[in-house]
Amino acid sequence: MFSAHLRVSDAAHSARVLQEATDALRTRFDVYFSTLQVEQECLDEQAASDIDITRTPPAQG
Ligand SMILES: [Zn+2]
């Protein structure tokens, strides 16, 4: 089970990005059940950035 938001800058590419992400999850990671949301703007930006694994964690205070 996998869930994610995919941000694309150009909505014209949404369908292709969704297809490629779905294919990559299956072929590269053996994930067969995924819920992917394609968006240009995240409506939960603050919460999303808190768990964005591509970002460097903030320095601990
Ligand atoms: Zn989002």
Side-chain angles (χ1 to χ4, degrees), residues 5 37 39 41-44 48:
H5 292 193
Q37 175 173 318
E39 61 195 14
E41 288 283 332
C42 189
L43 299 178
D44 297 312

Side-chain angles (χ1 to χ4, degrees), residues 26-56:
R26 286 180 181 154
T27 61
R28 296 178 58 186
F29 301 104
D30 290 330
V31 173
Y32 291 91
F33 298 98
S34 58
T35 302
L36 301 175
Q37 175 173 318
V38 180
E39 61 195 14
Q40 289 181 274
E41 288 283 332
C42 189
L43 299 178
D44 297 312
E45 187 67 43
Q46 186 56 54
S49 61
D50 287 346
I51 59 170
D52 186 346
I53 61 173
T54 66
R55 289 165 57 116
T56 303

